[in-house]
Amino acid sequence: MLDLVDETPRVRSLVLAVPGWPEHLAGQHVDVRLTAEDGYQAERSYSIASAPAGERLTLTVERLDDGEVSPYLAGELRAGDELELRGPIGGYFVWEGALGGPLLLVAGGSGICPLMAMLRLRQAAASAVPTRLLYSSRSLEDVIYRDELDRLVAMGSGLEVIHTLTRSIPEGWSGLHRRIDTAMLGAVAWPPAERPLIFVCGPTPLVESAAESLVNLGHEPAHIKTERFGPTGG
Amino acid sequence: MTEQELRLDGNAAAGLLQEIFVHEVTAARGACAACGSVGPMGAQHLYMSPRSPGAVLRCSACEGVLMVIVRAGGRFRLGLQGLVWIEMQDVDATS
């Protein structure tokens, strides 16, 4: 591990150098395996948050206090430590520039990670694919990659980011303040006739509800790709 | 915990499937034996937990069982009773 970046009070990015890493696709994940001194092993999947870039990759890990793996990765791990990885994995929940758009990304909490890989790839490839990100967080402090998202939007390459905060809002907040619902998706998404490619990632209830809303709004189920966190136990 | 809370996407099984198949299977399409729906494996419903010895992939249209993978005793057992066919990219074919 090369470097650590604290993204929010509970979320940390790990920058890794992996010798022999075959370049990944935006949206793919890796399995991280930890082995205790007594031989006990625990393995978890993490989405890759960085765009493809040689042998470097970034994982962003939310610390779940009752988890087996995330408290170590997001708490105790230090630069120079080694990790056992398997990957890149997955060929379904992926986006490449050639797939085009428009692109609608819907994230809940740390569900932003694989979508961030897509946004970073889009930026690195100087893609002008019209892209909207609807991102639900508990509070402004919990928004992962907040500054980077602001910078990407300011570049004026056709990216719009719409935040919604579900718990506390800062004073003077003029943005959305509720969970993602059908009306919100209807207002944010392109009309179904424009056939947007849609990626939804977050906790299972958010993903199910957003996917159902999008189908009800008339979007083709085959264009809606989902990644549920589920009760993976962190 | 409810069934909904336990549900994952088939793409979460990509690592497990990579242990068994040479090909990337989550992008492969398959046909459900129960209802005939056709779709990518990554879009189906997966039930798998880190402490369980296996995974069950169910059809996202009818919840029929498509695939059961059990990993125990040094082997994998793969049950494919719910799939009529599965179609993968031919990696040797020029695209």
Side-chain angles (χ1 to χ4, degrees):
Chain A
M1 183 163 79
L2 296 177
D3 200 11
L4 299 165
V5 181
D6 283 317
E7 306 280 1
T8 77
R10 299 196 308 138
V11 174
R12 176 173 279 182
S13 287
L14 318 176
V15 183
L16 307 170
V18 187
W21 179 252
E23 225 162 59
H24 60 271
L25 303 171
Q28 283 188 307
H29 54 271
V30 292
D31 288 347
V32 177
R33 177 182 287 173
L34 298 181
T35 307
E37 281 174 20
D38 66 0
Y40 175 75
Q41 292 189 328
E43 191 174 85
R44 296 290 183 279
S45 273
Y46 292 97
S47 290
I48 302 169
S50 50
E55 295 186 337
R56 289 223 178 170
L57 66 148
T58 302
L59 306 181
T60 298
V61 179
E62 179 174 15
R63 191 167 53 244
L64 303 172
D65 292 328
D66 56 350
E68 269 189 330
V69 174
S70 67
Y72 176 76
L73 294 181
E76 296 170 40
L77 201 66
R78 294 289 172 266
D81 288 350
E82 296 204 341
L83 279 179
E84 192 178 345
L85 301 181
R86 178 175 62 182
I89 294 169
Y92 172 69
F93 192 88
V94 297
W95 180 78
E96 299 175 85
L99 292 174
L103 199 54
L104 174 65
L105 309 177
V106 180
S110 53
I112 187 70
C113 299
L115 309 182
M116 197 64 193
M118 298 174 192
L119 291 178
R120 285 167 165 166
L121 169 64
R122 179 182 174 281
Q123 176 59 32
S127 161
V129 166
T131 302
R132 288 180 189 154
L133 166 66
L134 174 60
Y135 183 8
S136 172
S137 307
R138 280 185 282 207
S139 70
L140 203 55
E141 294 70 45
D142 287 309
V143 176
I144 307 167
Y145 316 125
R146 193 167 91 202
D147 294 342
E148 185 176 350
L149 287 170
D150 288 346
R151 281 199 302 277
L152 290 175
V153 169
M155 288 176 174
S157 65
L159 169 66
E160 298 167 74
V161 176
I162 300 99
H163 290 284
T164 183
L165 304 178
T166 57
R167 290 191 193 168
S168 58
I169 52 168
E171 214 170 295
W173 175 254
S174 58
L176 297 165
H177 178 211
R178 63 182 202 274
R179 289 174 183 277
I180 291 174
D181 56 28
T182 306
M184 193 185 289
L185 285 164
V188 168
W190 282 271
E194 296 193 30
R195 310 189 74 204
L197 298 177
I198 305 174
F199 292 86
V200 186
C201 184
T204 299
L206 178 149
V207 170
E208 303 234 326
S209 134
E212 190 184 340
S213 291
L214 288 161
V215 170
N216 290 338
L217 287 165
H219 294 278
E220 291 170 53
H223 281 191
I224 306 170
K225 295 190 174 179
T226 58
E227 181 131 276
R228 298 161 169 89
F229 288 168
T232 51
Chain B
M1 207 173 268
T2 68
E3 182 185 321
Q4 191 215 39
E5 288 167 325
L6 289 166
R7 190 178 296 152
L8 294 170
D9 302 275
N11 28 310
L16 184 58
L17 291 167
Q18 193 174 284
E19 299 276 323
I20 303 170
F21 291 97
V22 174
H23 295 276
E24 207 299 305
V25 175
T26 57
R29 298 191 315 149
C32 173
C35 75
S37 294
V38 172
M41 296 297 103
Q44 309 309 312
H45 290 161
L46 179 75
Y47 298 87
M48 177 175 84
S49 109
R51 289 188 184 82
S52 71
V56 177
L57 191 71
R58 289 178 175 269
C59 173
S60 62
C62 76
E63 291 294 326
V65 173
L66 298 173
M67 190 186 291
V68 178
I69 307 166
V70 177
R71 176 184 210 168
R75 326 166 177 216
F76 288 103
R77 177 172 290 184
L78 185 64
L80 293 164
Q81 65 271 43
L83 278 167
V84 180
W85 52 258
I86 185 164
E87 175 192 87
M88 292 170 225
Q89 187 70 41
D90 179 353
V91 288
D92 293 330
T94 48
S95 53

